Every structure is written in C-alpha cells, then in structure tokens.
Amino acid sequence: EVQLVETGGGLIQPRGSLRLSCAASGFSVSSNYMTWVRQAPGKGLEWVSTKRDDGTTYYADTVRGRFTISRDNSRNTLSLQMNSLRAEDSAVYYCARGTIVDGHALDSWGQGTMVTVSS
Amino acid sequence: QSVLTQPSSASGTPGQRVTISCSGSRSNIGSNTVNWYHQLPGTAPQLLLYSDNQRPSGVPDRFSGSKSDTSASLAISGLQSEDEADYYCAAWDDSLNGYVFGTGTKVTVL
C-alpha cells in the first residue's frame, strides 16, 4: 500500500528555517515525480516544488531561492528545506506522488503538516 | 494568483448533472493535459481525473472530463451528497515552468 507521511511542521519565526520530511512506503521516491503542494488556511491549493525521477527540480516563483527539494533514496524520503520563511508561507504542506503515466498528476497524498510563520 | 480560473461555486440537487469549467491559456491547458482533484473538508486532495479525462482506479464513471483549446471541464452526473467538496483543475504551465492549480470550486448538494 502506498503511503506518504509528512513531518517537521510547526511554529517558526519570520526569517527562520524549517525542514519538512515525507516518508514514503509502498514505492520508491526515486521512481516517480514527487511534489510539494501547500494550502494556506481557507485558501486554495498552491504548487510549491517538484522533483522528477531524473533529478530535475522545479520551484514556484514564490519560493525559488528560499526552498530546496531533495530526496534520500536510501531512506525513501522526500524533503523540503525552507529558509527565510515569511508569514505568507504559513500553510499545510502536502507531499504527493506523481503517476507513472503523467508525473504531474498526483495520485497519492500525505496527510499534510502545518507550518505557521509568526513572531 | 492562479492562472487557471474556475467558478467559485456550483450546486445541484441529488441526481442532477453539474459542470465545472476551468479556463486557462495556451501555455498551460492549451499545451498540456489537465488533471482534476477533489478535496473533502479537513482532508488531503485526491486525484479525480488525469490526462484530461482518465479516471484512476476507484473513481466512478459519474465523473468525466473534457478539454477544448484553452479550457477544460469536469462533469459530475448523478450528483450525490458525498460529492460535496472543493474541486480543483491543474496543469503544467510551459511559460511558468511550474504546475498551476485552478482557483477551486465548491460544490454544494442541495
């Protein structure tokens, strides 16, 4: 069974750093596109970053230069290093797996982890 | 600000057919396939349709998708109470080099 479990969220002060992790089971993170999506309270979905199976990475303009997506194949984990955090980064962060047919079609999602940026 | 525009709400009575539109541009819907997600309150989104009109295993055939030029649509036929959720379209955008979600549509079953 495919499962994704995010951890690492919490309360952080503006300009601080936080690292989110997404532990995968039932498949290999290195074999699929893996994506982070966030959702601010009461708002819609916002794409954050994608790492393709070939290692290519993509970032939303709002986080490029501040966030870094990475994966640890040995631990089968996806991570999101978030630096220089801002209030507008506050959201539930989901990691999701892309399908084999269309890597950007996200067929499995974690439960999400909440990040609150506030002083 | 999302580049894919959806109506903020849609509604219908049980058994009715509801359609949700998703308007984009040549760089996203016009060049790439569209995916649809739904999200029940307090839960993670779920993939509803991929590659414009393909249903993942387990999604009932009441859900169907179509695309024309730079717009896409999701149709829910035989509306049921459990269909009450938020619905999002999404597509890769070649200009932004990123994945874009629609503004979201809240479906209410009257």
Side-chain angles (χ1 to χ4, degrees):
Chain A
E1 179 191 1
V2 172
Q3 191 173 18
L4 296 166
V5 178
E6 303 97 334
T7 56
L11 175 64
I12 187 75
Q13 292 189 337
R15 295 177 297 281
S17 297
L18 208 57
R19 187 178 183 86
L20 306 183
S21 293
C22 172
S25 57
F27 74 102
S28 296
V29 295
S30 60
S31 301
N32 293 68
Y33 286 29
M34 295 297 297
T35 291
W36 288 97
V37 174
R38 68 185 181 184
Q39 185 171 35
K43 302 297 185 182
L45 301 175
E46 180 187 12
W47 172 77
V48 174
S49 179
T50 292
K51 190 171 187 68
R52 291 173 23 167
D53 52 347
D54 66 2
T56 304
T57 58
Y58 302 95
Y59 297 95
D61 288 343
T62 52
V63 307
R64 186 176 295 112
R66 300 187 299 122
F67 290 12
T68 302
I69 190 172
S70 62
R71 68 184 180 215
D72 184 332
N73 296 341
S74 64
R75 297 173 59 200
N76 208 28
T77 299
L78 181 75
S79 295
L80 186 69
Q81 177 66 42
M82 305 186 297
N83 299 329
S84 303
L85 284 161
R86 307 165 179 165
E88 53 265 36
D89 295 319
S90 296
V92 173
Y93 284 73
Y94 297 101
C95 73
R97 182 188 78 163
T99 69
I100 295 299
V101 172
D102 174 357
H104 298 297
L106 307 174
D107 68 346
S108 294
W109 295 65
Q111 84 288 351
T113 186
M114 183 71 204
V115 172
T116 303
V117 183
S118 175
S119 54
Chain B
Q1 189 170 356
S2 177
V3 299
L4 301 182
T5 303
Q6 301 176 231
S8 59
S9 64
S11 63
T13 58
Q16 276 191 329
R17 175 184 171 95
V18 169
T19 301
I20 300 169
S21 62
C22 175
S23 178
S25 65
R26 191 174 302 173
S27 64
N28 41 66
I29 294 177
S31 303
N32 299 290
T33 58
V34 177
N35 305 312
W36 289 90
Y37 303 87
H38 69 165
Q39 184 179 31
L40 298 171
T43 68
Q46 291 180 296
L47 182 65
L48 198 57
L49 296 173
Y50 66 95
S51 296
D52 299 336
N53 55 20
Q54 302 300 300
R55 288 183 301 275
S57 173
V59 174
D61 58 7
R62 302 187 295 104
F63 295 92
S64 61
S66 63
K67 188 176 79 172
S68 178
D69 197 16
T70 60
S71 292
S73 292
L74 168 70
I76 310 172
S77 59
L79 193 65
Q80 299 180 4
S81 58
E82 57 260 39
D83 297 332
E84 199 161 271
D86 293 324
Y87 291 78
Y88 297 91
C89 59
W92 186 258
D93 190 296
D94 292 337
S95 294
L96 297 175
N97 223 17
Y99 195 52
V100 290
F101 285 95
T103 50
T105 299
K106 184 175 183 61
V107 169
T108 301
V109 181
L110 302 171

